[in-house]
Amino acid sequence: MLLIGLAGLEVAERERAWLAAPGVAGVILFARNYADRTQLMALCESIREIGGEHLLIAVDQEGGPVQRFRAGFTRLPALARIGEVYDRDATEAVRLAEEHAWVMASELRACGVDFSFAPVADLARGNAAIGPRAFHADPAATAELAAAYVRGMHLAGMASVLKHFPGHGSIAVDTHKAAAIDVRPLETIRRDDLRPFAECIAARVEGVMMAHVIYPAVAVEPAGYSSVWIRQILRGELGFQGAAISDDISMAAAGAAGGVAERVHGHLDAGCDLVLACFPDVVDEAIAAVARRAPSHPGRLAALRGAIGASWDSLTDNPQRDRFVARITALDATQANA
């Protein structure tokens, strides 16, 4: 039920009990958990030795401003760079989206990480938290590029997790810092923001992260706390059968539900399968909150586990990867010279 954050580069003594707790489904890693690839592989192995092979290991490795592992990994350009190419050559941009995804996913799988929370399917319409993390402002362009990204992740043996449903890009507020309210009618959200999610769900994505945004035309609570958004629209209307995942419960906009326990229960009661408790200072309370709850749907969580990936040695002796890396990293050089 929970994806929890750890404090440092190794599993601390108090964290061993967290990993063995029945309500913990896995770990989300951050830059604070990374020194180099050798350390990362040792940490992933330790997590599973302590908590079991079933534990999921995730990270945000989008590229651009959100890339937790940098030294020793390909420096990935922001998705907006691919969207800029789309305006000149849509076919080339689709190819770059697949290659970006494959490089990102294959490198993580070589280190034992199951999945990245990717791709961002929000529209690039000025949100402070999204910015260059989104492909494009146009729903059709975003849908095509996001679907290509999903294909690239799948080719590398990685599940894909869209974010932030039903769309975080069309309001200015950063939900890390404040409550966010999107007053548009459902018909507008369906026409624009839902289109990339719908097309990627048709491509069989394994996970969807919910937005901490309130859409009062649909529900009074943020989407991650809303059974209307999760059960009626995401699952009923769009036919999504994978894992619904909350955004981090420590974000300011998550406070609508109350304290840590109320935030955890609010997400799970609404239909989330996984709840993110990213900061170690909330993990004890989050684990206590789920102690008497029934476990999440096992099939949905199992689908998030990575397939057998290539080793790092095989990646470095791979001419195709060399071509992909050269092409995607050139996007930042092109932007710098523009």
Side-chain angles (χ1 to χ4, degrees):
M1 285 175 277
L2 301 174
L3 283 183
I4 64 170
L6 305 178
L9 302 178
E10 299 177 345
V11 179
E13 188 60 35
R14 69 183 288 231
E15 295 169 343
R16 297 177 70 89
W18 293 353
L19 297 178
V24 172
V27 171
I28 177 170
L29 299 177
F30 292 87
R32 66 178 183 260
N33 306 118
Y34 181 74
D36 55 46
R37 293 197 310 270
T38 299
Q39 170 270 326
L40 174 61
M41 287 188 276
L43 176 60
C44 291
E45 184 175 349
S46 178
I47 288 168
R48 292 189 171 109
E49 284 180 352
I50 295 166
E53 289 295 323
H54 67 284
L55 286 186
L56 298 165
I57 300 177
V59 69
D60 289 302
Q61 190 82 340
E62 302 169 13
V66 180
Q67 180 171 344
R68 309 305 188 195
F69 309 150
R70 300 198 179 197
F73 281 80
T74 298
R75 188 67 180 92
L76 299 164
L79 298 184
R81 303 288 82 79
I82 301 174
E84 291 162 4
V85 174
Y86 188 92
D87 290 334
R88 304 189 301 270
D89 186 337
T91 300
E92 173 70 0
V94 166
R95 180 180 171 189
L96 286 166
E98 290 182 356
E99 293 171 358
H100 188 293
W102 186 90
V103 170
M104 178 278 292
S106 62
E107 291 183 352
L108 290 178
R109 291 298 304 122
C111 294
V113 177
D114 287 303
F115 66 92
S116 171
F117 288 98
V120 172
D122 302 303
L123 302 179
R125 294 186 172 179
N127 179 267
I130 302 302
R133 298 165 61 194
F135 284 112
H136 207 282
D138 180 70
T142 300
E144 188 173 6
L145 293 172
Y149 207 92
V150 169
R151 289 195 298 273
M153 292 177 73
H154 286 169
L155 287 171
M158 178 175 283
S160 56
V161 179
L162 305 174
K163 59 187 181 186
H164 307 79
F165 186 87
H168 198 325
S170 296
I171 54 166
V173 175
D174 181 347
T175 50
H176 294 86
K177 301 176 181 179
I181 301 175
D182 186 337
V183 299
R184 294 175 302 154
L186 178 57
E187 292 74 17
T188 302
I189 297 170
R190 274 201 183 102
R191 182 194 66 209
D192 294 347
D193 300 67
L194 286 189
R195 181 169 176 177
F197 290 95
E199 294 196 17
C200 289
I201 287 168
R204 299 186 182 278
V205 297
E206 291 81 6
V208 169
M209 177 184 280
M210 305 301 299
H212 281 321
V213 177
I214 299 171
Y215 307 85
V218 179
V220 297
E221 59 276 296
Y225 295 128
S226 169
S227 62
V228 175
W229 278 116
I230 298 173
R231 292 195 169 98
Q232 292 185 30
I233 298 176
L234 178 61
R235 297 205 184 280
E237 189 174 305
L238 299 183
F240 178 63
Q241 298 180 13
I245 306 172
S246 83
D247 209 337
D248 180 23
I249 59 171
S250 295
M251 292 166 62
V260 171
E262 289 78 16
R263 298 179 196 196
V264 171
H265 288 305
H267 284 301
L268 294 173
D269 290 345
C272 285
D273 300 287
L274 287 172
V275 176
L276 296 189
C278 296
F279 290 91
D281 60 354
V282 304
V283 171
D284 280 320
E285 194 171 349
I287 290 175
V290 301
R292 297 183 179 179
R293 293 194 69 112
S296 300
H297 191 293
R300 293 173 185 164
L301 301 192
L304 296 172
R305 295 188 190 120
I308 295 174
S311 68
W312 200 275
D313 286 343
S314 67
L315 288 180
T316 56
D317 188 27
N318 184 334
Q320 175 178 266
R321 174 178 178 269
D322 293 342
R323 291 193 299 272
F324 289 178
V325 168
R327 282 168 45 77
I328 64 173
T329 56
L331 293 171
D332 277 335
T334 301
Q335 172 72 9
N337 295 328

